[in-house]
Amino acid sequence: MENVNKPLSEEAKAFNHRIEERVSEGFIPDLRRNQRCEFFYKSFWRDPVFSDLYVGNMFREYRDILAKYVQPGARILDAGCGAGYFALELAREGYNVVAIDIADSAIEQAKTALESNPYKDNFGHLEYHVGSIEQIKLNDSIPQTYDAILFSGVLHHLVDLDLALDNAYDLLKDGGVILGHEPCHENWTKSDAAITSLMRLLLSHTDSWYESKESLLKSYTPEAFQDYVDDIFTEYTQERDKHESGQSPNDNSCNGKEITNAVKKRFSHFKSKPSAAFMYRMLGGVRRPNISQEQDIARLLALFDQFATSTGILNPNYFFFSALK
C-alpha cells in the first residue's frame, strides 16, 4: 500500500479490513473449497450452494465469454482480484493469469489459497501482485501485455475511470477482450424494491428469514410498507445496510451508464447482459430448520431472479459486459 496514492490507500485499507475479518471467521477464498460460514448473516458467502448460485454463475459467464475470444492458455489480467478466487478458477481452466489488487491482505490470502490448491490437473499459471490498474505501468514486475482483462466489480470503485481504461487499452493485445461485472443501480426502481420487499416479508412471515417479521414491518399499513420499500431501495442502490457506512470510501464512484459509455469510447463490439436483481443480498438471509431446506429456497430465489431479469420483470442491479480492442 505504500506505493499507492491516498485515495487508493484508503480503499485498500477498507478491503484489507474486510478480508482479514472474514478470514478470521472461517471464510476460505476459494469457490471449490468454500465452506458454510455463519459470519455472513445475509451474504451469499454464507453457504457454498448460495455462493455457487451467484459467484459461481459469474465465473461461468466469464469462462464462456473468454472461450469465444481467446485461445487456451491465453494470458489474462484480473485487475482488482480481491482475494483471488476468480483468478484461481481461471488458472484451473489452464489460463496464464496475472492478478493484481491494492489490498495487500487480500493478496496474501489469495497466495495462501494458491499454495494449498489441490486441483492441479491442467493448471495454467497464476501470479499475484499488490498493485492497481491506474499505476500498473509503474510496476516493472507486472507483465504489460494481455489477451484478456477482467474487471469483476472493480470499475465502480475507481476514482479515475478514464485512466484505468486507457491503461487497460494499452495493456490489451489487438483483438483482445475486456470483460466484467459491474453495478447498474441507477436502473433499479421502487417497483423492483417493492417486489423484493414482498419476498423478504413473506420469508420472514414463514420463519424463513434471519430477521423477525416484527422488525421488518411495524404495522400493516400502506405507510409502513412504503417505508420498508424505501429502506430496501436504499440498501440495494447503496449496497449497505442501515448501520453500515458503506463498503469502501470510493464505492459507487461511477455508475453502470458511465462505465458502459467509457468502455464503448475505447473498445468495439460492446455486449452486455443483465445479471442479478436482488439475490446477492437475499440468499444468505434465508433461515430454515435444516440446511437442505435453505438451499432449496435459495435455488428458487436464484431461479426467479434470473427469470425476472432476463424477461424484464425486474431490472438488474448488475450487468455483465465484454468488448474488443
Side-chain angles (χ1 to χ4, degrees):
M1 287 190 298
E2 65 275 6
N3 293 323
V4 300
N5 59 35
K6 185 174 181 180
L8 290 179
S9 66
E10 291 299 314
E11 193 80 358
K13 182 179 179 181
F15 280 99
N16 276 336
H17 172 74
R18 187 167 75 158
I19 190 61
E20 289 165 2
E21 182 180 41
R22 289 179 170 188
V23 169
S24 71
E25 296 290 339
F27 174 60
I28 299 175
D30 184 339
L31 297 184
R32 301 192 193 188
R33 293 182 286 166
N34 186 26
Q35 61 185 15
R36 182 90 171 183
C37 184
E38 298 297 340
F39 168 75
F40 298 100
Y41 60 94
K42 185 169 55 180
S43 168
F44 48 82
W45 288 121
R46 185 168 157 262
D47 184 272
V49 170
F50 306 163
S51 61
D52 182 67
L53 288 168
Y54 186 61
V55 190
N57 183 64
M58 287 170 61
F59 173 73
R60 289 185 284 273
E61 186 70 27
Y62 297 152
R63 183 186 61 194
D64 292 346
I65 293 172
L66 289 168
K68 294 179 182 178
Y69 298 112
V70 301
Q71 298 297 315
R75 177 183 283 174
I76 300 172
L77 173 66
D78 184 352
C81 66
Y85 36 85
F86 287 132
L88 183 57
E89 285 301 315
L90 289 171
R92 286 168 174 166
E93 293 286 324
Y95 290 112
N96 179 356
V97 186
V98 176
I100 62 172
D101 199 275
I102 57 175
D104 51 0
S105 292
I107 291 296
E108 288 176 11
Q109 293 303 325
K111 289 180 176 179
T112 297
L114 174 59
E115 289 170 359
S116 59
N117 168 46
Y119 303 100
K120 301 182 184 299
D121 291 347
N122 302 313
F123 196 87
H125 176 76
L126 175 56
E127 56 186 81
Y128 289 106
H129 298 270
V130 176
S132 70
I133 189 67
E134 296 98 326
Q135 299 179 348
I136 192 171
K137 293 180 181 179
L138 303 177
N139 193 328
D140 294 335
S141 67
I142 302 176
Q144 299 288 306
T145 57
Y146 299 91
D147 300 290
I149 299 178
L150 171 64
F151 289 104
S152 187
V154 176
L155 295 175
H156 71 286
H157 285 280
L158 302 183
V159 175
D160 195 336
L161 178 62
D162 288 328
L163 175 59
L165 290 176
D166 284 343
N167 284 348
Y169 185 89
D170 292 342
L171 294 167
L172 201 61
K173 295 179 181 178
D174 290 342
V177 61
I178 179 176
L179 68 157
H181 183 259
E182 294 290 339
C184 50
H185 301 314
E186 70 276 13
N187 295 331
W188 219 56
T189 69
K190 289 292 180 71
S191 295
D192 300 315
I195 294 174
T196 303
S197 298
L198 178 60
M199 286 189 286
R200 280 197 187 175
L201 290 168
L202 289 173
L203 287 170
S204 180
H205 277 66
T206 56
D207 296 321
S208 301
W209 186 247
Y210 81 100
E211 295 171 296
S212 67
K213 57 187 177 184
E214 292 80 14
S215 68
L216 298 185
L217 196 64
K218 305 303 180 184
S219 62
Y220 287 85
T221 64
E223 293 78 15
F225 188 78
Q226 181 65 63
D227 288 342
Y228 185 61
V229 170
D230 290 342
D231 287 345
I232 295 297
F233 180 79
T234 299
E235 175 190 330
Y236 273 87
T237 55
Q238 298 297 317
E239 291 205 42
R240 61 178 178 83
D241 289 347
K242 280 185 175 181
H243 63 276
E244 295 176 328
S245 59
Q247 191 178 77
S248 66
N250 300 328
D251 194 17
N252 296 318
S253 293
C254 51
N255 62 32
K257 184 177 180 180
E258 291 167 335
I259 291 170
T260 294
N261 290 338
V263 173
K264 284 183 174 180
K265 180 180 177 181
R266 294 163 175 82
F267 300 89
S268 65
H269 297 84
F270 179 88
K271 294 181 180 180
S272 66
K273 177 181 177 180
S275 177
F278 64 84
M279 66 173 170
Y280 59 101
R281 299 186 70 88
M282 184 88 77
L283 302 183
V286 175
R287 297 291 189 277
R288 288 304 298 161
N290 62 65
I291 293 175
S292 64
Q293 290 177 336
E294 290 185 0
Q295 292 172 342
D296 284 343
I297 292 174
R299 291 186 183 97
L300 180 58
L301 289 169
L303 175 63
F304 176 65
D305 194 318
Q306 293 163 2
F307 171 78
T309 53
S310 64
T311 58
I313 294 173
L314 289 175
N315 291 299
N317 254 309
Y318 275 82
F319 70 105
F320 295 101
F321 74 88
S322 64
L324 302 179
K325 178 176 176 179

